[in-house]
Amino acid sequence: MDRAGGERGVTAVTYALMVAIIAILLVGGVFVLGGGVKTALDGGAACVSDPGSCEDSNGSSGGGNGGGGGTTTSTSPATTTGPTTTTTTTTGP
């Protein structure tokens, strides 16, 4: 005698619905994160092909081997009629 009755079909539909919801969430995550991942990978590819393009926001390039020291030169325009100010910072061991 089958004690579950007609509940087997309902259970299968429930599992199928759960799998469909998980699949929708995975596809949505790929679309949401896809642009950021593509940008990161493209930036990495550009850095490998042309190491000079791997500069960070302050203009110094990382030196590998944990170094990263170097000379950073920034020039800020004068707000008055005075001369331009140039600042040179040297970091590293």
Side-chain angles (χ1 to χ4, degrees):
M1 180 176 225
D2 186 16
R3 294 183 185 213
E7 292 186 22
R8 282 190 175 180
V10 174
T11 304
V13 169
T14 303
Y15 286 132
L17 185 62
M18 287 175 23
V19 168
I21 289 172
I22 290 171
I24 289 170
L25 290 174
L26 287 173
V27 169
V30 167
F31 279 117
V32 168
L33 298 176
V37 171
K38 182 180 183 324
T39 302
L41 291 176
D42 286 344
C47 186
V48 169
S49 65
D50 182 20
S53 69
C54 299
E55 296 184 0
D56 59 7
S57 61
N58 66 1
S60 65
S61 59
N65 293 333
T71 302
T72 302
T73 303
S74 64
T75 304
S76 57
T79 55
T80 62
T81 57
T84 304
T85 304
T86 302
T87 304
T88 302
T89 305
T90 304
T91 58

